Amino acid sequence: MAAKRKPVTRADHDRLFFTRWVLFLIVANEAAGLPEVSRQRLHALLFMSFASSRYYAIEPLRQRARRTPQGPYYRHAHVALGGLVLGGMVSVEDFRAHPALRNLQFEGVFRPTLKGLKVARTLRETVMGARLYRFLLDMCLASAYTTNEYRTDSDVTEETSIARGGAVLDKILEADLTYRRAVKRYGDTLDLQEAPGEQTPTVEGLSSIEQRLELQGAYNRKDVVAAYQTLLMRRSVQVA
């Protein structure tokens, strides 16, 4: 007797979509040559990607980030990360588990494995998969451009340069317009939007830069994202 097929629920769909988003982000980070992803940076990159995804006509995942001393935290993303590690699609180094009263957490440095790269390549064969990965890769490539601009020195070692690049990337993420607005509010969560359907400050900023670049001629979305992140970094340096 054939086994009954279990219907895919909305919750199942959201979990699978979150897992794909996390895997694509780790693969795109690697492809762009950015510093290896830490747990803290992964959640920050997720927040920034959700804040800017509508610029690429991609709906962000319907999850709220919890406010923590280390920055945004998505429980479903961390569960997805654990599944990717256990499934052999993501490797983890410097693993450290630590207690958290309300959240599942473990620390480490994460990179895609060969299996993870193959799975990501298969997932990109769908129309939505290709669009999502292109967006995340553009975001990571723009970050790589900005971090390289601010970390290049001839008198530093490669290890120091990578560490400096990671610090620059963290500053860009902390300076994101949507994140800055979210941290000013009180409460346990960091919301992307104040009202349904509202444009995030990040999308508004990207759209404003696009309008300016249109006047100069040819451009693409990656140029817009790179310009946005460069402006964030310059503002962060000026404030410091």
Side-chain angles (χ1 to χ4, degrees), residues 64-92:
R64 288 182 172 180
R66 184 173 296 280
R67 185 191 300 267
T68 72
Q70 294 79 34
Y73 171 83
Y74 295 94
R75 184 180 185 279
H76 283 289
H78 213 61
V79 172
L81 179 62
L84 290 170
V85 171
L86 293 174
M89 287 173 275
V90 171
S91 65
V92 55

Short mmCIF file of all heavy atoms in Angstrom, two decimals, residues 64-92:
data_model
loop_
_atom_site.label_atom_id
_atom_site.label_comp_id
_atom_site.label_asym_id
_atom_site.label_seq_id
_atom_site.Cartn_x
_atom_site.Cartn_y
_atom_site.Cartn_z
N ARG A 64 10.59 38.11 11.97
CA ARG A 64 11.13 39.25 12.70
C ARG A 64 12.44 38.85 13.35
O ARG A 64 12.59 37.73 13.84
CB ARG A 64 10.14 39.69 13.78
CG ARG A 64 8.90 40.39 13.25
CD ARG A 64 8.01 40.83 14.38
NE ARG A 64 6.91 41.66 13.92
CZ ARG A 64 6.00 42.18 14.71
NH1 ARG A 64 6.03 41.94 16.02
NH2 ARG A 64 5.03 42.93 14.22
N ALA A 65 13.37 39.77 13.35
CA ALA A 65 14.64 39.52 14.02
C ALA A 65 14.49 39.85 15.50
O ALA A 65 13.91 40.87 15.86
CB ALA A 65 15.74 40.38 13.40
N ARG A 66 15.04 38.99 16.33
CA ARG A 66 15.05 39.29 17.76
C ARG A 66 16.25 40.17 18.06
O ARG A 66 17.33 40.01 17.51
CB ARG A 66 15.13 37.99 18.57
CG ARG A 66 15.04 38.21 20.08
CD ARG A 66 14.94 36.89 20.82
NE ARG A 66 13.71 36.20 20.49
CZ ARG A 66 12.52 36.48 21.01
NH1 ARG A 66 12.40 37.48 21.87
NH2 ARG A 66 11.46 35.80 20.67
N ARG A 67 16.06 41.12 18.94
CA ARG A 67 17.13 42.02 19.35
C ARG A 67 18.03 41.30 20.34
O ARG A 67 17.56 40.77 21.35
CB ARG A 67 16.54 43.28 19.98
CG ARG A 67 17.56 44.35 20.35
CD ARG A 67 16.90 45.40 21.21
NE ARG A 67 15.80 46.06 20.55
CZ ARG A 67 15.89 47.19 19.86
NH1 ARG A 67 17.07 47.80 19.76
NH2 ARG A 67 14.84 47.73 19.29
N THR A 68 19.33 41.27 20.07
CA THR A 68 20.29 40.66 21.00
C THR A 68 21.49 41.61 21.14
O THR A 68 21.67 42.51 20.30
CB THR A 68 20.81 39.30 20.50
OG1 THR A 68 21.69 39.50 19.38
CG2 THR A 68 19.65 38.39 20.07
N PRO A 69 22.32 41.43 22.15
CA PRO A 69 23.52 42.28 22.28
C PRO A 69 24.46 42.17 21.08
O PRO A 69 25.23 43.09 20.81
CB PRO A 69 24.19 41.74 23.56
CG PRO A 69 23.08 41.12 24.34
CD PRO A 69 22.16 40.53 23.31
N GLN A 70 24.39 41.05 20.34
CA GLN A 70 25.26 40.86 19.18
C GLN A 70 24.62 41.35 17.88
O GLN A 70 25.24 41.30 16.83
CB GLN A 70 25.62 39.38 19.02
CG GLN A 70 26.46 38.81 20.15
CD GLN A 70 25.62 38.48 21.38
OE1 GLN A 70 24.46 38.08 21.26
NE2 GLN A 70 26.20 38.62 22.56
N GLY A 71 23.38 41.83 17.94
CA GLY A 71 22.72 42.28 16.73
C GLY A 71 21.46 41.47 16.47
O GLY A 71 20.92 40.83 17.36
N PRO A 72 20.96 41.48 15.23
CA PRO A 72 19.74 40.74 14.92
C PRO A 72 19.95 39.24 15.02
O PRO A 72 21.05 38.74 14.82
CB PRO A 72 19.42 41.16 13.48
CG PRO A 72 20.73 41.60 12.92
CD PRO A 72 21.50 42.20 14.06
N TYR A 73 18.87 38.53 15.34
CA TYR A 73 18.92 37.07 15.47
C TYR A 73 17.61 36.49 14.95
O TYR A 73 16.53 36.87 15.40
CB TYR A 73 19.15 36.65 16.92
CG TYR A 73 19.01 35.17 17.15
CD1 TYR A 73 20.08 34.32 16.90
CD2 TYR A 73 17.81 34.61 17.58
CE1 TYR A 73 19.95 32.95 17.08
CE2 TYR A 73 17.69 33.24 17.78
CZ TYR A 73 18.75 32.42 17.52
OH TYR A 73 18.63 31.06 17.69
N TYR A 74 17.71 35.58 13.98
CA TYR A 74 16.56 34.89 13.42
C TYR A 74 16.59 33.42 13.84
O TYR A 74 17.48 32.68 13.41
CB TYR A 74 16.57 34.97 11.89
CG TYR A 74 16.41 36.36 11.33
CD1 TYR A 74 17.53 37.12 11.01
CD2 TYR A 74 15.15 36.90 11.11
CE1 TYR A 74 17.39 38.40 10.48
CE2 TYR A 74 15.01 38.18 10.59
CZ TYR A 74 16.13 38.92 10.27
OH TYR A 74 15.99 40.18 9.75
N ARG A 75 15.65 33.02 14.66
CA ARG A 75 15.64 31.64 15.15
C ARG A 75 15.54 30.63 14.00
O ARG A 75 16.27 29.64 13.95
CB ARG A 75 14.50 31.43 16.13
CG ARG A 75 14.51 30.03 16.75
CD ARG A 75 13.37 29.82 17.73
NE ARG A 75 13.48 28.54 18.39
CZ ARG A 75 13.08 27.38 17.85
NH1 ARG A 75 12.55 27.38 16.64
NH2 ARG A 75 13.22 26.25 18.51
N HIS A 76 14.63 30.90 13.03
CA HIS A 76 14.46 29.96 11.92
C HIS A 76 15.72 29.88 11.07
O HIS A 76 16.04 28.82 10.52
CB HIS A 76 13.27 30.38 11.07
CG HIS A 76 11.94 30.05 11.67
ND1 HIS A 76 11.47 28.75 11.78
CD2 HIS A 76 11.00 30.82 12.24
CE1 HIS A 76 10.29 28.75 12.35
NE2 HIS A 76 9.97 30.00 12.66
N ALA A 77 16.44 30.98 10.96
CA ALA A 77 17.68 30.94 10.19
C ALA A 77 18.72 30.09 10.89
O ALA A 77 19.50 29.37 10.26
CB ALA A 77 18.21 32.36 9.99
N HIS A 78 18.75 30.17 12.22
CA HIS A 78 19.74 29.38 12.95
C HIS A 78 19.40 27.90 12.90
O HIS A 78 20.30 27.05 12.82
CB HIS A 78 19.82 29.87 14.39
CG HIS A 78 21.20 29.76 14.96
ND1 HIS A 78 22.29 30.40 14.44
CD2 HIS A 78 21.67 29.03 16.01
CE1 HIS A 78 23.37 30.10 15.14
NE2 HIS A 78 23.02 29.27 16.09
N VAL A 79 18.12 27.57 12.94
CA VAL A 79 17.69 26.19 12.76
C VAL A 79 18.09 25.71 11.36
O VAL A 79 18.60 24.58 11.19
CB VAL A 79 16.18 26.05 12.99
CG1 VAL A 79 15.71 24.65 12.61
CG2 VAL A 79 15.82 26.34 14.43
N ALA A 80 17.87 26.57 10.35
CA ALA A 80 18.26 26.22 8.99
C ALA A 80 19.77 26.02 8.88
O ALA A 80 20.24 25.08 8.22
CB ALA A 80 17.82 27.32 8.02
N LEU A 81 20.54 26.87 9.55
CA LEU A 81 21.99 26.74 9.54
C LEU A 81 22.42 25.42 10.15
O LEU A 81 23.29 24.73 9.61
CB LEU A 81 22.62 27.91 10.31
CG LEU A 81 24.15 27.92 10.41
CD1 LEU A 81 24.79 28.03 9.04
CD2 LEU A 81 24.60 29.07 11.31
N GLY A 82 21.81 25.05 11.26
CA GLY A 82 22.13 23.76 11.88
C GLY A 82 21.82 22.61 10.96
O GLY A 82 22.59 21.64 10.86
N GLY A 83 20.69 22.68 10.24
CA GLY A 83 20.34 21.63 9.29
C GLY A 83 21.33 21.53 8.14
O GLY A 83 21.68 20.44 7.69
N LEU A 84 21.80 22.67 7.67
CA LEU A 84 22.78 22.68 6.59
C LEU A 84 24.11 22.08 7.04
O LEU A 84 24.78 21.37 6.28
CB LEU A 84 23.00 24.11 6.09
CG LEU A 84 21.83 24.73 5.32
CD1 LEU A 84 22.06 26.23 5.10
CD2 LEU A 84 21.64 24.04 3.96
N VAL A 85 24.49 22.37 8.29
CA VAL A 85 25.73 21.79 8.83
C VAL A 85 25.59 20.28 8.98
O VAL A 85 26.45 19.51 8.56
CB VAL A 85 26.09 22.45 10.18
CG1 VAL A 85 27.24 21.70 10.85
CG2 VAL A 85 26.45 23.92 9.99
N LEU A 86 24.48 19.84 9.57
CA LEU A 86 24.25 18.40 9.78
C LEU A 86 24.08 17.68 8.45
O LEU A 86 24.43 16.50 8.33
CB LEU A 86 23.02 18.19 10.65
CG LEU A 86 23.14 18.65 12.11
CD1 LEU A 86 21.81 18.50 12.83
CD2 LEU A 86 24.22 17.85 12.83
N GLY A 87 23.57 18.39 7.44
CA GLY A 87 23.38 17.77 6.13
C GLY A 87 24.64 17.77 5.28
O GLY A 87 24.61 17.29 4.14
N GLY A 88 25.74 18.30 5.81
CA GLY A 88 27.01 18.29 5.09
C GLY A 88 27.12 19.33 4.00
O GLY A 88 28.02 19.26 3.16
N MET A 89 26.21 20.33 3.98
CA MET A 89 26.26 21.37 2.95
C MET A 89 27.04 22.60 3.39
O MET A 89 27.42 23.43 2.57
CB MET A 89 24.84 21.75 2.54
CG MET A 89 24.16 20.69 1.69
SD MET A 89 22.41 21.03 1.37
CE MET A 89 21.67 20.33 2.84
N VAL A 90 27.24 22.73 4.69
CA VAL A 90 28.00 23.85 5.25
C VAL A 90 28.96 23.30 6.29
O VAL A 90 28.56 22.47 7.12
CB VAL A 90 27.07 24.91 5.89
CG1 VAL A 90 27.87 25.95 6.66
CG2 VAL A 90 26.22 25.58 4.82
N SER A 91 30.22 23.71 6.24
CA SER A 91 31.20 23.29 7.24
C SER A 91 31.27 24.33 8.34
O SER A 91 30.98 25.51 8.11
CB SER A 91 32.57 23.11 6.61
OG SER A 91 33.07 24.36 6.15
N VAL A 92 31.65 23.90 9.53
CA VAL A 92 31.76 24.82 10.66
C VAL A 92 33.11 24.61 11.33
O VAL A 92 33.54 23.48 11.57
CB VAL A 92 30.61 24.62 11.67
CG1 VAL A 92 30.52 23.18 12.15
CG2 VAL A 92 30.76 25.57 12.86
#
